Amino acid sequence: MMRFEWRPFLERWSGEWADAYDPERDAGPGAEGRRAARWLGGEPADEARIAAAEARLGITFPPSLRSFLAVTDGWHQAGHFVWRLAGCEDLRWCGDPHDMRGIWLDGAGDDADEDLVRLAGLWSRSLQLATESDMVDVLLDPEDVDERGEWAVYTWAPWRGSPPERLPSFRHFMEDAYREFHSMASDRPAFANETTAALDDRVEQARLAALRGAYEAARETLSDAAAFGRPGASRLRDQIDVMCGTATGAEGGASLADPYVAHEAVPLTCRAQSRYGTHQYGTHQYGTDQEELLTRCYPEEDRPAVAATLRAIEEATFRYRADGAFGEAVETARALARRAQPEAAWRTLATALPAWTPRSADHIAPVGLLADPYLGPVLTPERGRVLLATPRGPGAAKAAPPAAGSAPADGLGWLAEESPNGFRIVLIAGVEPSEVPLRLAAGDATVRPALTPGDAWQPHPGGEPWENRTVARFGAAGDGWVFAHSGQGLDAALQERFASPATEASHGTRALTLTYAPQWDPESPAAFHFSCAENGEQRYGLTIRGETRTTTGKIPAELTSAGLLAGRTVSDGPRTALDSIAAHFGVTVSREAVCRGRLDGFETRSWLRAPAPGEGYAYWTRS
């Protein structure tokens, strides 16, 4: 094993600290002398001094600490919050003077497991390396030893509000402290040295590599540079992370004069702040003024624009824009996603990606797409990684178009697997998706933009108290068909007054109705209904409630022979029936669009007829 060369590392650190010295920030006992000497350490400890300290403590120091002491007997400014590390004479056992063991175990109560008990004993068994600090413990743990004999170092400060942070060895601790020194000094105007120059060159090379598609290697380099506080490194790394689905991309506070901030970061920050995302500081804080919470960190002149973007995100009216050929592809892809064709939308974006142009020098991916209510769900983490692996930007070669052929046909059978609350779906032939609300909606056919799957299942009473309406989302359903779907079935108890909205929707064409409700309890058996209507009249249908089967009209032989629940009850699941119907009519509804996308929706007319004279009914109301 190669011995770590402490002297050049510590001399470089000391010299950089001296060159960046700020009397207001760094002054303290002996600081001026250390600046003049360009050395943050002390004299080397000889073998006798180190052996004496080991004998006093009854241990042998781990290799990296022992070799460190042989270069300098102690150290000042170990990062920003540890002002002095112990030398041989003042190394001591921590002894848990503040009863941290009791505090940790009392907080856990009877739920303390073995790992927590071991962690709680950290203070009583460890060496304390910090002699002066901002309430930071630096603990060398003799029970956490690797195969090289190195002891793990744990750092803990009560103001962090988190468990102790582990580093594999004393050497790793010092390298981490050096990175912290750089990070805290990076905002000083005069802070420039060989280390910063080398890091900035690596950041630029990583940026170019990311644009060429080598995003994984670029991310590793950028993460290292970000730990040193190098400007731009975090933003570049975060763009990779947000496309991979491991970060929100939120970046509050910068001026909208930066085009990346205005068009990419602000929409992502608003998405994270909105009810559709995770609050950038933790869990979404209902009950607070989200607009004020977000905008107050921006320059005053930018706050109206940020507030407008937040409202657009909340109302699902935000539209991501881009320049040139890629911008045209974005518009086309959005229209496809809105039609429930996410695979086609993705192919459109992927084909145009080489034509994408960065908005600024630290922009490597169109991350703002993720804030678009229609296109954000299309860019799954898997597709995000494909995007990152595609060369793009100025000089990128034109990509080969995606493989020929239509998007995979999902059919209808998947509805049986993705519908724990059942479903309702109407399919109409020969019309465009924009016509669906006109044929099925209640009232004025108001369209609600970009609804999530959760927005389109809860039925609403609407109109008369006996009515049963629901919010449905709609889109294309293969060649020549459209659909309207709601993720809430129609209970068997309501089937007595069932009135398919597809009958009215079939004027001038034909329409299919499919509903399914799982069994909730012994008195509410599973229920399945399928019917076909043409020109405003129902032609045939099948209704199954528990063990009871009812048919109307003449069901085509192709359907019955294909297994339209033949010989089985609806409790077996409607998968076979759905597959048969999809194959017979040539319909397919995108599973991805319905289950993970955002689609336009509307409130349907009632799925129940008016009760006959003397016929009772039950209903619920909004609370």
Side-chain angles (χ1 to χ4, degrees):
M1 180 179 66
M2 293 183 63
R3 181 187 179 96
F4 182 63
E5 294 295 331
W6 281 107
R7 190 79 198 186
F9 169 66
L10 297 175
E11 285 179 346
R12 180 171 74 251
W13 185 348
S14 297
E16 291 170 351
W17 175 85
D19 290 340
Y21 182 79
D22 181 347
E24 293 186 6
R25 287 172 144 184
D26 303 320
E32 286 289 353
R34 289 189 289 275
R35 182 188 66 81
R38 301 177 67 80
W39 182 241
L40 288 167
E43 294 297 320
D46 59 23
E47 178 59 31
R49 189 179 182 88
I50 295 172
E54 291 176 327
R56 173 174 58 83
L57 296 166
I59 58 172
T60 298
F61 293 139
S64 60
L65 176 60
R66 209 172 196 282
S67 59
F68 169 82
L69 293 170
V71 173
T72 173
D73 194 12
W75 188 254
H76 293 84
Q77 300 303 131
H80 188 72
F81 304 103
V82 178
W83 306 320
R84 182 170 177 270
L85 290 177
C88 288
E89 290 190 355
D90 45 10
L91 275 167
R92 69 185 191 281
W93 295 108
C94 178
D96 198 8
H98 304 296
D99 191 24
M100 296 304 300
R101 183 179 188 278
I103 292 171
W104 280 87
L105 294 181
D106 287 347
D110 295 332
D111 296 328
D113 58 19
E114 183 178 340
D115 290 338
L116 181 58
V117 171
R118 185 177 178 282
L119 179 63
L122 177 65
W123 286 263
S124 60
R125 67 175 178 266
S126 296
L127 283 178
Q128 175 65 269
L129 302 184
T131 62
E132 297 175 21
S133 70
D134 185 11
M135 299 176 66
V136 179
D137 287 330
V138 182
L139 305 170
L140 198 61
D141 185 358
E143 292 187 6
D144 190 347
V145 183
D146 68 14
E147 66 279 0
R148 299 166 300 171
E150 293 288 357
W151 301 9
V153 171
Y154 289 81
T155 64
W156 182 79
W159 41 264
R160 285 179 184 160
S162 61
E165 297 179 3
R166 181 186 184 277
L167 292 155
S169 70
F170 177 74
R171 170 192 166 180
H172 286 88
F173 163 76
M174 289 295 284
E175 289 176 327
D176 187 68
Y178 177 59
R179 286 189 291 268
E180 183 178 84
F181 153 68
H182 263 265
S183 178
M184 300 301 292
S186 63
D187 62 342
R188 302 188 186 192
F191 191 66
N193 48 60
E194 290 184 6
T195 302
T196 60
L199 286 166
D200 290 344
D201 181 66
R202 292 182 65 203
V203 168
E204 175 60 12
Q205 295 306 312
R207 183 186 74 85
L208 296 174
L211 289 172
R212 292 193 301 268
Y215 72 93
E216 292 175 308
R219 189 196 181 282
E220 185 175 346
T221 297
L222 293 168
S223 294
D224 186 44
F228 279 85
R230 298 319 301 153
S234 292
R235 176 179 286 181
L236 292 167
R237 178 201 59 197
D238 289 350
Q239 290 172 66
I240 294 173
D241 288 347
V242 74
M243 293 307 300
C244 293
T246 57
T248 65
E251 182 188 318
S255 169
L256 269 64
D258 181 337
Y260 174 83
V261 173
H263 299 287
E264 310 286 333
V266 164
L268 289 175
T269 303
C270 291
R271 181 189 69 152
Q273 184 83 13
S274 78
R275 67 189 178 98
Y276 292 111
T278 301
H279 189 283
Q280 61 179 320
Y281 305 117
T283 305
H284 181 69
Q285 299 177 5
Y286 291 99
T288 61
D289 185 340
Q290 298 300 317
E291 185 175 306
E292 192 276 333
L293 185 66
L294 173 65
T295 59
R296 67 187 178 190
C297 66
Y298 285 90
E300 188 170 355
E301 65 271 17
D302 292 338
R303 292 174 186 174
V306 175
T309 301
L310 177 62
R311 288 192 293 272
I313 294 288
E314 286 279 5
E315 295 165 4
T317 57
F318 172 75
R319 300 293 179 268
Y320 180 79
R321 309 290 184 190
D323 296 329
F326 185 73
E328 295 173 5
V330 167
E331 299 301 313
T332 302
R334 182 185 298 111
L336 290 167
R338 198 170 182 177
R339 286 174 59 88
Q341 295 175 299
E343 178 67 26
W346 161 242
R347 293 183 186 196
T348 300
L349 292 173
T351 300
L353 189 58
W356 171 81
T357 55
R359 299 184 190 273
S360 62
D362 52 4
H363 187 197
I364 56 173
V367 292
L369 278 168
L370 291 162
D372 190 290
Y374 297 102
L375 294 175
V378 170
L379 282 175
T380 62
E382 293 76 19
R383 288 172 178 156
R385 287 188 282 272
V386 173
L387 184 153
L388 290 170
T390 302
R392 58 200 176 277
K398 184 177 180 181
S406 59
D410 291 337
L412 298 174
W414 61 267
L415 286 164
E417 302 165 3
E418 294 279 6
S419 305
N421 297 300
F423 62 82
R424 309 180 198 191
I425 189 166
V426 175
L427 297 127
I428 308 172
V431 301
E432 282 295 304
S434 59
E435 196 173 330
V436 174
L438 300 176
R439 289 176 174 265
L440 288 172
D444 60 1
T446 299
V447 174
R448 306 179 188 181
L451 300 183
T452 67
D455 292 330
W457 72 273
Q458 182 63 56
H460 296 276
E464 299 297 328
W466 52 264
E467 290 190 345
N468 184 281
R469 302 181 182 184
T470 186
V471 175
R473 300 187 302 158
F474 62 94
D479 293 336
W481 288 86
V482 294
F483 75 92
H485 169 271
S486 172
Q488 174 75 16
L490 195 67
D491 290 347
L494 300 177
Q495 295 276 0
E496 293 288 347
R497 294 190 293 109
F498 176 71
S500 169
T503 303
E504 287 293 320
S506 69
H507 284 287
T509 183
R510 61 176 172 173
L512 311 177
T513 302
L514 288 154
T515 71
Y516 169 67
Q519 180 170 346
W520 300 113
D521 56 61
E523 296 183 2
S524 297
F528 175 82
H529 171 85
F530 159 64
S531 59
C532 176
E534 292 185 28
N535 267 328
E537 296 183 6
Q538 182 169 310
R539 298 300 185 190
Y540 54 84
L542 166 69
T543 301
I544 304 177
R545 285 174 287 173
E547 304 290 332
T548 304
R549 298 167 59 92
T550 304
T551 60
T552 58
K554 184 177 180 182
I555 298 175
E558 296 88 346
L559 285 175
T560 54
S561 63
L564 193 59
L565 291 176
R568 294 186 296 163
T569 66
V570 70
S571 60
D572 296 325
R575 172 95 205 202
T576 302
L578 293 169
D579 285 337
S580 301
I581 293 164
H584 180 74
F585 291 98
V587 295
T588 179
V589 175
S590 168
R591 185 175 194 165
E592 177 185 347
V594 171
C595 297
R596 295 188 294 278
R598 294 182 68 173
L599 301 171
D600 294 340
F602 60 92
E603 187 172 283
T604 69
R605 63 174 62 98
S606 177
W607 291 64
L608 301 179
R609 61 168 174 76
E615 189 176 27
Y617 61 89
Y619 65 92
W620 60 269
T621 61
R622 296 181 180 92
S623 59

